[in-house]
Amino acid sequence: MQMQNIKLIRTKDNRLFLFYHSSGAVYCRQIDKCISENTVKIMDNATPDFSLWADQSGIYLLIGSSEGIHLCYYNFNRWLSRTMSKDFEPNCTKISFFSFGESVHLLYSVKADDGSEGLYIRSMKKENWSAPRKITDIIPFRPSSVYFARRQSPDKIKIYYRMSDKTIRFCTLNLESGSISEAENLLTTSLPCMDISIVTNGKDSHILYLAQGMFSSQLIYKGIRGGVQSKARIIWEGQLSGSCSLFLCTGKLYALIYGGSKVYALYSDNDGKTFSSAKNLGRISASCVKAEYLDISENAGFAADEVITDISSITFPVVSDIYPSFIPEKSKAAESCSEPVQPRRDNSIRAAEYEDQIAAMSS
């Protein structure tokens, strides 16, 4: 159950949006208890990987296509779209978009001809682009997970990546200044990576690493609490060889293991210091996948960087069972995703500022 081209975002007014790539196009859908059928196609001929970001003013969607790189913006009322660049680097394996105030940042990975992969960042502040900066050489966790960028706070991003020596490291990107902290070692293991899950909750981080041993699988946990790293330890060992997931809910930390259609859970009441034995939660559908999750609603009851999504029914097994309010009630706010993206002129003040900014970025 690896991460697919599916992303979820919870906005400041507790609306939940689903974005996904299918048959060469990117779609948007608002999710609520009614599961209304208001799916809208955002763009055709899109590359499978896209970047999703949001702030208090709206949602940003960065999409690549054969015609270049496009930045789409939803101001909680309507969509706008502009072409940022007519060139799309074919060796770019992943790209992420972040904004804060007058600053914009592009984080991306590029594969060289010799097969090596580099992690880069490029920033813009007050309409001035800096030269690309190389952070480091990396190796992907898996083909679908080159690196992870997790929101620590409105103005800071934690970037997790893997080195050639099998060391997992992280650094912090300051979205206001564009500065990057010194890298810190997080976890080192020589065992092959089957799957990985990370929760970023403010300054605290939790990492779950599913490794393939010689005779069995090992689930390894390590946490960072108050800036202090705990010792990495095996919290489960057995014959399951699927994937893993991690989330925080009302003070409990849940570690999930998936093997085929079975799911087992371990939980911790003390922030990861100790875990319960694995409990069988039953079966899940084979159509379940991991979806990246971004929350700007400052919801203190639930924290995760990814959630399990049943793409056949647009439901959230395990998560909704443990946290029933994950799917919001139907909002009375303005209809979401009600208009397909078309280059158009919106005469509102906010849209004018946005179009001026994107015009500068396009050059």
Side-chain angles (χ1 to χ4, degrees):
M1 186 190 300
Q2 299 305 316
M3 181 79 73
Q4 302 294 317
N5 304 310
I6 299 174
K7 300 181 190 291
L8 292 157
I9 192 164
R10 192 180 300 275
T11 60
K12 60 182 180 179
D13 55 359
N14 195 37
R15 282 190 285 170
L16 186 64
F17 294 87
L18 172 72
F19 292 82
Y20 61 96
H21 182 275
S22 178
S23 302
V26 174
Y27 297 85
C28 169
R29 181 175 182 175
Q30 183 177 348
I31 305 296
D32 53 45
K33 296 290 187 183
C34 298
I35 312 294
S36 54
E37 293 290 342
N38 57 346
T39 302
V40 166
K41 182 187 292 186
I42 302 296
M43 184 169 292
D44 277 315
N45 302 318
T47 55
D49 189 57
F50 57 91
S51 178
L52 189 63
W53 181 251
D55 55 25
Q56 295 300 311
S57 62
I59 299 174
Y60 298 89
L61 184 65
L62 190 70
I63 309 175
S65 75
S66 58
E67 299 177 353
I69 300 176
H70 312 273
L71 184 60
C72 308
Y73 174 74
Y74 178 57
N75 64 0
F76 301 120
N77 181 40
R78 65 180 67 187
W79 281 96
L80 296 168
S81 176
R82 279 291 181 90
T83 301
M84 279 187 64
S85 171
K86 293 184 179 180
D87 298 319
F88 185 77
E89 170 58 58
N91 293 330
C92 181
T93 53
K94 185 175 181 177
I95 186 168
S96 302
F97 175 88
F98 314 110
S99 68
F100 183 81
E102 297 180 315
S103 299
V104 168
H105 307 274
L106 297 177
L107 178 70
Y108 56 97
S109 55
V110 176
K111 182 175 288 187
D113 294 336
D114 62 1
S116 62
E117 202 141 358
L119 185 61
Y120 296 83
I121 188 167
R122 193 172 190 190
S123 303
M124 183 192 78
K125 190 169 185 178
K126 295 182 178 179
E127 301 182 2
N128 296 314
W129 279 103
S130 66
R133 290 176 287 162
K134 186 174 184 178
I135 297 175
T136 187
D137 289 316
I138 61 173
I139 61 172
F141 293 101
R142 298 186 69 89
S144 58
S145 305
V146 185
Y147 63 82
F148 297 103
R150 307 306 197 196
R151 188 186 184 105
Q152 175 180 320
S153 62
D155 63 337
K156 288 185 175 63
I157 294 294
K158 277 189 177 178
I159 305 168
Y160 302 87
Y161 52 89
R162 193 183 191 196
M163 307 292 290
S164 59
D165 61 359
K166 308 297 178 64
T167 300
I168 298 174
R169 299 183 183 179
F170 72 93
C171 59
T172 303
L173 168 65
N174 187 306
L175 297 180
E176 186 171 20
S177 65
S179 63
I180 297 177
S181 69
E182 291 291 330
E184 296 184 48
N185 289 341
L186 180 59
L187 182 65
T188 302
T189 175
S190 59
L191 296 173
C193 175
M194 297 175 63
D195 198 18
I196 187 171
S197 185
I198 300 172
V199 167
T200 304
N201 188 32
K203 294 183 178 180
D204 296 343
S205 297
H206 304 272
I207 180 171
L208 203 60
Y209 185 94
L210 185 60
Q212 178 63 64
M214 184 175 295
F215 301 108
S216 63
S217 303
Q218 294 179 346
L219 193 63
I220 301 169
Y221 167 81
K222 185 171 183 177
I224 304 176
R225 293 176 288 273
V228 179
Q229 295 193 27
S230 65
K231 184 179 179 180
R233 65 186 190 278
I234 299 171
I235 61 173
W236 175 88
E237 188 168 11
Q239 297 302 318
L240 287 179
S241 58
S243 60
C244 63
S245 185
L246 192 64
F247 64 87
L248 277 162
C249 179
T250 58
K252 282 189 178 183
L253 181 64
Y254 291 85
L256 307 177
I257 319 162
Y258 303 89
S261 59
K262 296 180 180 179
V263 55
Y264 295 83
L266 301 82
Y267 67 88
S268 172
D269 287 317
N270 50 19
D271 210 20
K273 294 182 178 66
T274 60
F275 279 86
S276 69
S277 59
K279 301 182 183 301
N280 189 348
L281 296 186
R283 304 179 67 86
I284 59 171
S285 169
S287 58
C288 286
V289 297
K290 281 187 178 182
E292 188 175 337
Y293 178 67
L294 179 66
D295 191 344
I296 67 164
S297 67
E298 298 180 354
N299 179 7
F302 181 84
D305 291 321
E306 58 189 17
V307 295
I308 305 303
T309 306
D310 190 330
I311 58 175
S312 66
S313 59
I314 314 297
T315 56
F316 307 95
V318 181
V319 170
S320 291
D321 294 339
I322 295 173
Y323 188 59
S325 57
F326 180 81
I327 300 178
E329 298 289 343
K330 187 172 179 61
S331 172
K332 295 182 180 180
E335 284 289 323
S336 66
C337 301
S338 56
E339 300 180 25
V341 173
Q342 297 291 339
R344 56 174 299 168
R345 187 71 185 177
D346 180 350
N347 294 321
S348 69
I349 295 176
R350 180 66 185 89
E353 293 174 351
Y354 168 75
E355 290 199 353
D356 289 343
Q357 180 188 25
I358 295 216
M361 293 167 64
S362 298
S363 61

